[in-house]
Amino acid sequence: MAVEQLHYGTVAKLFHWVIVALLTVQLPLGWLMPDIHRDMQPGQAMSLHISIGLTVLILIVVRFGWRLTHPVAPESNLPGWQRISSELVHWLLYLVVFLTTMTGWIFASMRGWSLSLFGIIPLPGLVGQGSQFGRAVGGYHHSLPWVLVGLIALHVAAALVHLFYYRDGVMRRMLPQVLR
Ligand code: HEM
Ligand code: HEM
Protein backbone atom coordinates (compact mmCIF):
# COMPACT_ATOMS: atom_id res chain seq x y z
CA MET A 1 0.00 0.00 0.00
CA ALA A 2 1.50 3.38 -1.05
CA VAL A 3 1.96 5.93 1.76
CA GLU A 4 -0.35 8.98 1.58
CA GLN A 5 1.41 12.31 1.09
CA LEU A 6 0.09 15.58 2.49
CA HIS A 7 0.55 17.65 -0.71
CA TYR A 8 0.43 17.19 -4.47
CA GLY A 9 3.96 16.78 -5.84
CA THR A 10 5.41 18.45 -8.94
CA VAL A 11 4.52 15.53 -11.22
CA ALA A 12 0.84 15.50 -10.10
CA LYS A 13 0.61 19.28 -10.60
CA LEU A 14 2.25 19.06 -14.03
CA PHE A 15 -0.22 16.35 -15.13
CA HIS A 16 -3.14 18.43 -13.80
CA TRP A 17 -2.25 21.68 -15.57
CA VAL A 18 -1.06 20.14 -18.86
CA ILE A 19 -4.39 18.27 -19.13
CA VAL A 20 -6.30 21.49 -18.27
CA ALA A 21 -4.41 23.32 -21.06
CA LEU A 22 -5.07 20.55 -23.61
CA LEU A 23 -8.79 20.38 -22.73
CA THR A 24 -9.05 24.16 -23.08
CA VAL A 25 -8.00 23.75 -26.73
CA GLN A 26 -9.72 20.41 -27.33
CA LEU A 27 -13.30 21.26 -26.35
CA PRO A 28 -13.69 24.41 -28.55
CA LEU A 29 -11.81 22.61 -31.35
CA GLY A 30 -14.33 19.72 -31.15
CA TRP A 31 -17.30 22.04 -31.47
CA LEU A 32 -15.79 24.43 -34.03
CA MET A 33 -14.17 21.98 -36.47
CA PRO A 34 -16.12 21.30 -39.69
CA ASP A 35 -18.92 18.70 -39.47
CA ILE A 36 -18.25 15.22 -40.85
CA HIS A 37 -19.83 14.08 -44.09
CA ARG A 38 -20.11 10.60 -45.56
CA ASP A 39 -16.82 9.17 -46.98
CA MET A 40 -14.90 12.23 -45.83
CA GLN A 41 -11.26 11.95 -44.66
CA PRO A 42 -10.15 13.94 -41.58
CA GLY A 43 -9.02 17.50 -42.39
CA GLN A 44 -6.35 19.46 -40.48
CA ALA A 45 -8.63 20.48 -37.59
CA MET A 46 -9.93 16.92 -37.13
CA SER A 47 -6.41 15.43 -37.31
CA LEU A 48 -5.28 17.89 -34.65
CA HIS A 49 -8.37 17.04 -32.54
CA ILE A 50 -7.57 13.33 -32.81
CA SER A 51 -3.89 13.83 -31.90
CA ILE A 52 -4.64 16.09 -28.94
CA GLY A 53 -7.41 13.71 -27.81
CA LEU A 54 -5.11 10.67 -27.92
CA THR A 55 -2.44 12.65 -26.03
CA VAL A 56 -5.05 13.40 -23.34
CA LEU A 57 -5.91 9.68 -23.22
CA ILE A 58 -2.25 8.71 -22.66
CA LEU A 59 -1.79 11.44 -20.04
CA ILE A 60 -4.98 10.62 -18.10
CA VAL A 61 -4.10 6.90 -17.94
CA VAL A 62 -0.51 7.58 -16.80
CA ARG A 63 -1.78 10.23 -14.39
CA PHE A 64 -4.31 7.83 -12.92
CA GLY A 65 -1.53 5.26 -12.40
CA TRP A 66 0.53 7.99 -10.73
CA ARG A 67 -2.44 8.91 -8.50
CA LEU A 68 -2.87 5.29 -7.37
CA THR A 69 0.81 4.90 -6.53
CA HIS A 70 1.19 8.42 -5.02
CA PRO A 71 -2.01 9.01 -3.00
CA VAL A 72 -2.53 12.45 -1.47
CA ALA A 73 -4.45 12.96 1.80
CA PRO A 74 -7.45 15.32 1.52
CA GLU A 75 -6.99 18.78 3.07
CA SER A 76 -7.28 18.05 6.81
CA ASN A 77 -9.67 20.91 7.74
CA LEU A 78 -12.44 19.98 5.29
CA PRO A 79 -15.83 18.88 6.67
CA GLY A 80 -16.78 15.28 5.82
CA TRP A 81 -19.29 16.14 3.07
CA GLN A 82 -16.72 18.26 1.21
CA ARG A 83 -14.10 15.53 1.45
CA ILE A 84 -16.47 12.93 0.03
CA SER A 85 -17.95 15.16 -2.70
CA SER A 86 -14.55 16.42 -3.87
CA GLU A 87 -13.15 12.87 -4.03
CA LEU A 88 -16.25 11.81 -5.98
CA VAL A 89 -15.89 14.67 -8.49
CA HIS A 90 -12.16 13.91 -8.91
CA TRP A 91 -12.76 10.21 -9.65
CA LEU A 92 -15.60 11.15 -12.02
CA LEU A 93 -13.29 13.59 -13.84
CA TYR A 94 -10.76 10.79 -14.44
CA LEU A 95 -13.55 8.47 -15.61
CA VAL A 96 -15.33 10.94 -17.91
CA VAL A 97 -12.09 12.18 -19.53
CA PHE A 98 -11.19 8.53 -20.20
CA LEU A 99 -14.62 7.68 -21.63
CA THR A 100 -14.65 10.83 -23.81
CA THR A 101 -11.31 9.92 -25.38
CA MET A 102 -12.25 6.24 -25.87
CA THR A 103 -15.61 7.04 -27.49
CA GLY A 104 -13.82 9.53 -29.80
CA TRP A 105 -11.30 6.84 -30.77
CA ILE A 106 -14.09 4.30 -31.36
CA PHE A 107 -16.07 6.83 -33.43
CA ALA A 108 -13.05 7.71 -35.59
CA SER A 109 -12.23 3.99 -36.03
CA MET A 110 -15.79 3.30 -37.15
CA ARG A 111 -15.31 5.90 -39.93
CA GLY A 112 -12.43 3.75 -41.20
CA TRP A 113 -9.85 6.54 -40.90
CA SER A 114 -6.15 5.76 -40.52
CA LEU A 115 -5.29 7.36 -37.20
CA SER A 116 -1.98 8.72 -35.96
CA LEU A 117 -0.46 10.80 -33.22
CA PHE A 118 0.56 14.07 -34.96
CA GLY A 119 1.20 12.14 -38.20
CA ILE A 120 4.19 10.38 -36.55
CA ILE A 121 2.98 7.37 -34.58
CA PRO A 122 0.30 5.28 -36.34
CA LEU A 123 -2.53 3.99 -34.14
CA PRO A 124 -4.85 1.04 -34.72
CA GLY A 125 -8.60 1.33 -35.18
CA LEU A 126 -10.59 -0.08 -32.27
CA VAL A 127 -13.56 -1.32 -34.34
CA GLY A 128 -14.10 -2.14 -38.00
CA GLN A 129 -15.26 0.43 -40.56
CA GLY A 130 -19.05 0.92 -40.39
CA SER A 131 -19.33 -1.22 -37.23
CA GLN A 132 -22.79 -0.94 -35.61
CA PHE A 133 -21.22 -1.23 -32.16
CA GLY A 134 -18.74 1.55 -33.07
CA ARG A 135 -21.55 3.79 -34.26
CA ALA A 136 -23.61 3.26 -31.09
CA VAL A 137 -20.75 3.64 -28.59
CA GLY A 138 -19.04 6.37 -30.65
CA GLY A 139 -22.33 8.28 -30.58
CA TYR A 140 -21.72 9.01 -26.88
CA HIS A 141 -18.82 11.23 -28.02
CA HIS A 142 -21.44 13.94 -28.68
CA SER A 143 -22.87 13.97 -25.15
CA LEU A 144 -19.84 13.08 -23.00
CA PRO A 145 -18.06 16.42 -23.65
CA TRP A 146 -21.11 18.12 -22.07
CA VAL A 147 -20.92 15.85 -19.03
CA LEU A 148 -17.23 16.74 -18.81
CA VAL A 149 -17.94 20.47 -19.05
CA GLY A 150 -20.54 20.12 -16.26
CA LEU A 151 -18.07 18.33 -13.98
CA ILE A 152 -15.30 20.85 -14.76
CA ALA A 153 -17.71 23.72 -13.97
CA LEU A 154 -18.54 22.13 -10.58
CA HIS A 155 -14.85 21.47 -9.86
CA VAL A 156 -13.69 24.98 -10.80
CA ALA A 157 -16.60 26.60 -8.91
CA ALA A 158 -15.59 24.63 -5.79
CA ALA A 159 -11.94 25.69 -6.22
CA LEU A 160 -13.03 29.35 -6.50
CA VAL A 161 -15.31 29.10 -3.44
CA HIS A 162 -12.32 27.80 -1.46
CA LEU A 163 -10.09 30.55 -2.80
CA PHE A 164 -12.39 33.54 -2.26
CA TYR A 165 -14.97 32.47 0.36
CA TYR A 166 -13.36 29.94 2.71
CA ARG A 167 -9.90 31.40 1.98
CA ASP A 168 -8.30 28.10 3.01
CA GLY A 169 -5.34 26.24 1.50
CA VAL A 170 -7.22 24.02 -0.99
CA MET A 171 -6.36 26.05 -4.12
CA ARG A 172 -2.72 26.36 -3.07
CA ARG A 173 -2.41 22.57 -2.97
CA MET A 174 -2.60 22.42 -6.77
CA LEU A 175 -0.61 25.58 -7.58
CA PRO A 176 3.06 25.52 -8.66
CA GLN A 177 5.50 26.21 -5.80
CA VAL A 178 6.29 29.73 -7.11
CA LEU A 179 2.62 30.83 -6.88
CA ARG A 180 1.89 29.41 -3.42
C1 HEM B 1 -10.92 14.49 -23.81
C2 HEM B 1 -10.71 14.49 -25.11
C3 HEM B 1 -11.73 14.89 -26.12
C4 HEM B 1 -12.69 15.90 -26.04
C5 HEM B 1 -12.95 16.85 -24.89
C6 HEM B 1 -13.42 15.88 -27.29
C7 HEM B 1 -14.46 16.75 -27.60
C8 HEM B 1 -15.19 16.71 -28.76
C9 HEM B 1 -16.30 17.57 -29.07
C10 HEM B 1 -16.82 18.67 -28.15
C11 HEM B 1 -16.77 17.22 -30.29
C12 HEM B 1 -17.96 17.84 -31.03
C13 HEM B 1 -19.15 16.96 -30.78
C14 HEM B 1 -20.40 17.45 -31.47
O1 HEM B 1 -20.32 18.21 -32.45
O2 HEM B 1 -21.50 17.06 -31.01
C15 HEM B 1 -15.95 16.15 -30.79
C16 HEM B 1 -16.12 15.52 -32.01
C17 HEM B 1 -15.30 14.51 -32.48
N1 HEM B 1 -14.21 13.96 -31.83
FE1 HEM B 1 -13.56 14.43 -29.98
N2 HEM B 1 -12.91 14.89 -28.10
C18 HEM B 1 -11.88 14.26 -27.42
C19 HEM B 1 -11.11 13.22 -27.88
C20 HEM B 1 -11.22 12.63 -29.12
C21 HEM B 1 -10.41 11.52 -29.60
C22 HEM B 1 -9.32 10.81 -28.78
C23 HEM B 1 -10.83 11.25 -30.87
C24 HEM B 1 -10.32 10.21 -31.84
C25 HEM B 1 -9.23 9.48 -31.70
C26 HEM B 1 -11.91 12.16 -31.18
C27 HEM B 1 -12.62 12.17 -32.36
C28 HEM B 1 -13.69 12.97 -32.64
C29 HEM B 1 -14.47 12.89 -33.85
C30 HEM B 1 -14.24 11.91 -35.00
C31 HEM B 1 -15.48 13.86 -33.75
C32 HEM B 1 -16.57 14.18 -34.80
C33 HEM B 1 -17.84 13.55 -34.42
C34 HEM B 1 -18.96 13.97 -35.37
O3 HEM B 1 -18.94 15.10 -35.87
O4 HEM B 1 -19.88 13.19 -35.57
N3 HEM B 1 -12.12 13.00 -30.10
N4 HEM B 1 -14.99 15.85 -29.83
C1 HEM C 1 -9.01 26.45 -13.91
C2 HEM C 1 -9.39 25.20 -13.77
C3 HEM C 1 -9.07 24.33 -12.58
C4 HEM C 1 -8.75 24.66 -11.29
C5 HEM C 1 -8.63 26.05 -10.67
C6 HEM C 1 -8.51 23.41 -10.57
C7 HEM C 1 -8.13 23.29 -9.24
C8 HEM C 1 -7.87 22.12 -8.58
C9 HEM C 1 -7.45 22.03 -7.20
C10 HEM C 1 -7.25 23.20 -6.26
C11 HEM C 1 -7.29 20.72 -6.91
C12 HEM C 1 -6.87 20.12 -5.56
C13 HEM C 1 -8.11 19.79 -4.78
C14 HEM C 1 -7.80 19.18 -3.44
O1 HEM C 1 -6.76 19.43 -2.89
O2 HEM C 1 -8.63 18.42 -2.94
C15 HEM C 1 -7.61 19.95 -8.10
C16 HEM C 1 -7.57 18.57 -8.21
C17 HEM C 1 -7.97 17.88 -9.32
N1 HEM C 1 -8.36 18.41 -10.54
FE1 HEM C 1 -8.54 20.37 -10.98
N2 HEM C 1 -8.72 22.35 -11.43
C18 HEM C 1 -9.06 22.88 -12.66
C19 HEM C 1 -9.38 22.18 -13.80
C20 HEM C 1 -9.42 20.80 -13.88
C21 HEM C 1 -9.82 20.09 -15.07
C22 HEM C 1 -10.20 20.70 -16.43
C23 HEM C 1 -9.76 18.79 -14.77
C24 HEM C 1 -10.10 17.68 -15.73
C25 HEM C 1 -9.41 16.64 -15.87
C26 HEM C 1 -9.31 18.67 -13.38
C27 HEM C 1 -9.12 17.48 -12.68
C28 HEM C 1 -8.69 17.38 -11.37
C29 HEM C 1 -8.51 16.13 -10.68
C30 HEM C 1 -8.77 14.73 -11.26
C31 HEM C 1 -8.06 16.44 -9.39
C32 HEM C 1 -7.75 15.46 -8.28
C33 HEM C 1 -6.32 15.11 -8.36
C34 HEM C 1 -6.09 13.87 -7.55
O3 HEM C 1 -6.27 13.90 -6.33
O4 HEM C 1 -5.75 12.87 -8.18
N3 HEM C 1 -9.12 19.93 -12.88
N4 HEM C 1 -7.96 20.84 -9.11
Side-chain angles (χ1 to χ4, degrees), residues 8 16-17 19-20 23 60 63 67 75 86 90 93-94 97 148 152 155-156 159 170-171 173-174:
Y8 291 104
H16 181 271
W17 293 111
I19 292 174
V20 172
L23 289 178
I60 205 77
R63 178 181 175 192
R67 177 67 174 91
E75 160 70 54
S86 65
H90 294 164
L93 278 165
Y94 283 115
V97 169
L148 182 57
I152 293 174
H155 175 68
V156 174
V170 167
M171 186 69 189
R173 280 158 57 90
M174 199 38 103

Side-chain angles (χ1 to χ4, degrees), residues 141-152:
H141 197 63
H142 292 281
S143 43
L144 281 169
W146 288 108
V147 179
L148 182 57
V149 167
L151 281 172
I152 293 174

Side-chain angles (χ1 to χ4, degrees), residues 27-138:
L27 283 160
L29 184 58
W31 281 306
L32 295 177
M33 65 193 181
D35 287 341
I36 299 181
H37 304 292
R38 194 176 273 275
D39 300 328
M40 155 184 169
Q41 284 300 311
Q44 264 184 351
M46 177 63 82
S47 299
L48 183 63
H49 181 82
I50 289 172
S51 294
I52 295 178
L54 291 169
T55 307
V56 172
L57 170 61
I58 295 166
L59 289 177
I60 205 77
V61 169
V62 178
R63 178 181 175 192
F64 190 66
W66 185 266
R67 177 67 174 91
L68 293 182
T69 50
H70 300 76
V72 177
E75 160 70 54
S76 51
N77 299 324
L78 289 186
W81 72 270
Q82 285 193 18
R83 243 183 246 197
I84 294 168
S85 55
S86 65
E87 287 276 307
L88 181 71
V89 170
H90 294 164
W91 292 124
L92 282 174
L93 278 165
Y94 283 115
L95 179 70
V96 174
V97 169
F98 177 73
L99 292 179
T100 306
T101 56
M102 288 305 291
T103 52
W105 191 353
I106 289 172
F107 187 85
S109 309
M110 181 275 292
R111 307 294 305 199
W113 296 339
S114 47
L115 304 170
S116 76
L117 209 53
F118 299 102
I120 304 169
I121 303 170
L123 288 154
L126 296 182
V127 294
Q129 184 166 5
S131 143
Q132 283 303 318
F133 169 80
R135 191 178 300 276
V137 174

